[in-house]
Amino acid sequence: MKNRKIIRSGTIGLFLALVLSACAKQDTVIRTYTTEAETVEGTSQSGQTGKEKDTSQSGSTDEKEECIVYVCGAVKKEGVYRLEEGKRVADAVEMAGGFTKQARTDAVNLARPLKDGEQIYIPKQGEAGREEPGPEESYSAQEEDDRVNINTADAALLMTLPGIGESKAADILAFREKNGGFTKPDDLMKVPGIKEGTYKKIENRIRTD
């Protein structure tokens, strides 16, 4: 009798242990599934957020285009200047330090839009101004003639010529200041230190008007 009670008690205990073990496993599965579902949902949300950020970043504004012009003549700082596209001649003159006291301000259309690669020459008082093209005209002739004007070029531009270093560029400027410029290109050989050999290297790359 006692043995039967012991067997029954053991059987009931084993059954209860199995039931509790099964419930614990089921709870673990449910918890694991819930955790995985939350993880997947969180990943989806974070992925969506990242996509929104990427879309926002892709909407950045484009960089503005630029034009480069050479300002020379009766300005305080002759040189090559970089400006935003759409700027006017007045903006280029301002970057060059403004007009000198000898400038003929009426000889230049300050309201004209700039064109990349052009030269803006400001004449002095008593000097004939250069006829500027109208808005509808192109600068094709000027673009084709990229020779350096030895009557208006500054030292930096003169030094772009073969065989013309800093000292020779300074000599050219000194000669030009003393003699009022060059009448024809081969007058450059009148500058001390510039001989025929040097002139032959650059004769096709310079002009006087």
Side-chain angles (χ1 to χ4, degrees):
M1 233 11 218
K2 290 181 179 180
N3 290 336
R4 289 181 180 178
K5 289 182 179 181
I6 292 171
I7 291 171
R8 286 180 181 178
S9 298
T11 303
I12 292 170
L14 179 60
F15 176 76
L16 290 174
L18 291 172
V19 170
L20 290 173
S21 175
C23 290
K25 287 182 179 180
Q26 185 176 4
D27 182 63
T28 302
V29 172
I30 292 172
R31 289 177 181 273
T32 302
Y33 177 79
T34 303
T35 303
E36 290 177 354
E38 291 174 351
T39 303
V40 171
E41 184 179 357
T43 303
S44 175
Q45 291 175 352
S46 63
Q48 184 177 0
T49 303
K51 186 179 294 184
E52 290 175 356
K53 289 181 179 179
D54 291 341
T55 303
S56 175
Q57 292 175 356
S58 64
S60 59
T61 56
D62 297 332
E63 295 182 359
K64 293 184 178 180
E65 296 185 5
E66 297 178 329
C67 65
I68 300 174
V69 298
Y70 176 50
V71 187
C72 56
V75 290
K76 295 178 181 178
K77 297 178 182 178
E78 290 188 337
V80 178
Y81 295 95
R82 186 188 304 270
L83 298 94
E84 290 182 2
E85 187 179 28
K87 292 291 186 179
R88 308 279 175 166
V89 172
D91 298 309
V93 171
E94 183 179 356
M95 288 195 71
F99 296 113
T100 63
K101 293 181 180 179
Q102 297 81 21
R104 272 195 59 195
T105 58
D106 62 333
V108 184
N109 180 6
L110 297 176
R112 177 174 59 77
L114 296 173
K115 184 174 179 64
D116 184 49
E118 71 168 298
Q119 181 189 69
I120 301 170
Y121 179 73
I122 310 300
K124 297 179 181 179
Q125 295 290 341
E127 183 181 357
R130 299 179 182 179
E131 183 179 350
E132 293 191 355
E136 72 285 352
E137 297 177 17
S138 68
Y139 285 79
S140 58
Q142 183 174 329
E143 290 173 353
E144 291 173 4
D145 189 359
D146 58 354
R147 295 175 298 169
V148 173
N149 188 331
I150 57 177
N151 277 327
T152 59
D154 61 3
L157 189 58
L158 289 171
M159 288 168 61
T160 62
L161 297 169
I164 304 298
E166 185 176 355
S167 61
K168 288 183 179 179
D171 290 339
I172 293 172
L173 294 178
F175 180 90
R176 194 171 73 193
E177 184 70 21
K178 181 180 179 181
N179 298 279
F182 303 93
T183 304
K184 53 187 185 300
D186 60 6
D187 283 346
L188 194 63
M189 289 187 288
K190 295 179 181 179
V191 177
I194 298 181
K195 298 181 180 180
E196 186 176 0
T198 301
Y199 174 73
K200 288 295 183 183
K201 294 179 182 178
I202 62 176
E203 62 177 333
N204 294 324
R205 298 184 58 177
I206 61 175
R207 60 189 179 92
T208 57
D209 56 4

